[in-house]
Amino acid sequence: MSAWSAGPLLDAADVTSGTRVLDVGTGPGVVSREAVRRGASVVAVDADPGMAAAARANVPGLDVREAVLPDLPLPDASFDAVVGNFVINHTSRPDEAVRQFARVLRPGGKLALTCWEMPPSGALSLVGEALEEAGVPVPDDIPTPPFAELGKRGPFAGLLREAGLTDARDAELRWTHLVDPEEWWTTGALARIGTNGVIVSRQDAPTIAKVKAAYDRLAARYATSDGRLALPANALIATGVR
């Protein structure tokens, strides 16, 4: 689902042929691959060794470094553009991470970040709605994510402004994600990824079955004629200049 925004993200950072770009939180290298296709010179960073290996495999010759944000072991003013596709909402210190992004930008360089819009809706809220309908509470030991408040227009741009970037602004990104309903249940609920996945993983089999029944009822709102789901994806994109 997040691959859709690779193009808009690079457009927002003015990434073209010859641009020296840093792709933070590259994951499997989707954004880096598109940047290379445009003729950019790319360095990619990810915290997970497995993801770094996947990016190297998916983008032959890609310079991939391993680093855990907000630590960014790269020289000051060394990039024309820094981009991050849905990585800032996974950092525990987003303010410090953005300061690091600004540090490695050359004067006049551009930062572009995407994050999921808060509160979650559409594609991101479906499993959570099913948990709520099934009466499964959020455990006390699961923290409120940092982007519960920052993932909104205004505060997101403000995060870049506070890091010293100029012309900071944010905008909405809207698209439709087509997916098989069972695939979405597996990736959103059973993969133990994200808050909802952790909550589902702690339940017994009868409770999971109850959540799945609620999911099926709620998912029917998005059903297409070919049996897939047309899920609305709601995100934000923020840009700023060094």
Side-chain angles (χ1 to χ4, degrees):
M1 182 172 69
S2 61
W4 179 91
S5 57
L9 182 71
L10 293 171
D11 290 344
D14 296 332
V15 175
T16 59
S17 180
T19 304
R20 181 164 171 76
V21 58
L22 173 65
D23 176 20
V24 290
T26 189
V30 173
V31 174
S32 289
R33 181 170 53 198
E34 173 60 19
V36 169
R37 190 194 66 79
R38 296 183 180 202
S41 173
V42 185
V43 174
V45 172
D46 204 278
D48 184 79
M51 285 296 184
R56 292 187 188 99
N58 291 332
V59 190
L62 182 64
D63 181 356
V64 186
R65 320 281 180 90
E66 293 176 22
V68 179
L69 296 175
D71 294 331
L72 200 58
L74 293 164
D76 294 354
S78 51
F79 294 94
D80 304 313
V82 175
V83 296
N85 199 31
F86 301 106
V87 64
I88 194 66
N89 41 291
H90 291 291
T91 63
S92 60
R93 290 182 285 162
D95 52 345
E96 179 57 30
V98 174
R99 282 195 287 271
Q100 287 296 309
F101 302 158
R103 177 184 64 78
V104 300
L105 274 173
R106 65 164 178 77
K110 204 163 187 180
L111 171 66
L113 301 171
T114 52
C115 75
W116 298 115
E117 191 170 30
M118 295 289 123
S121 59
L124 291 188
S125 66
L126 185 53
V127 174
E129 291 174 19
L131 285 163
E132 184 176 357
E133 183 173 302
V136 179
V138 177
D140 292 338
D141 64 329
I142 292 184
T144 300
F147 258 74
E149 293 302 322
L150 288 174
K152 300 174 183 177
R153 291 201 64 183
F156 193 22
L159 184 67
L160 276 62
R161 195 174 298 114
E162 290 168 6
L165 295 168
T166 62
D167 197 25
R169 60 185 70 187
D170 49 36
E172 297 174 345
L173 289 177
R174 299 286 185 265
W175 69 101
T176 299
H177 182 57
L178 291 171
V179 66
D180 179 88
E182 293 305 313
E183 179 185 347
W184 197 246
W185 167 254
T186 299
T187 58
L190 301 184
R192 302 191 179 194
I193 296 172
T195 299
N196 292 332
V198 170
I199 295 173
V200 171
S201 73
R202 295 182 181 183
Q203 310 309 310
D204 56 24
T207 302
I208 292 176
K210 188 177 179 181
V211 176
K212 179 57 162 59
Y215 168 87
D216 289 339
R217 288 193 297 273
L218 293 166
R221 297 173 295 177
Y222 305 108
T224 65
S225 59
D226 63 359
R228 293 185 294 174
L229 302 180
L231 297 174
N234 303 320
L236 301 174
I237 184 166
T239 58
V241 178
R242 176 74 165 84

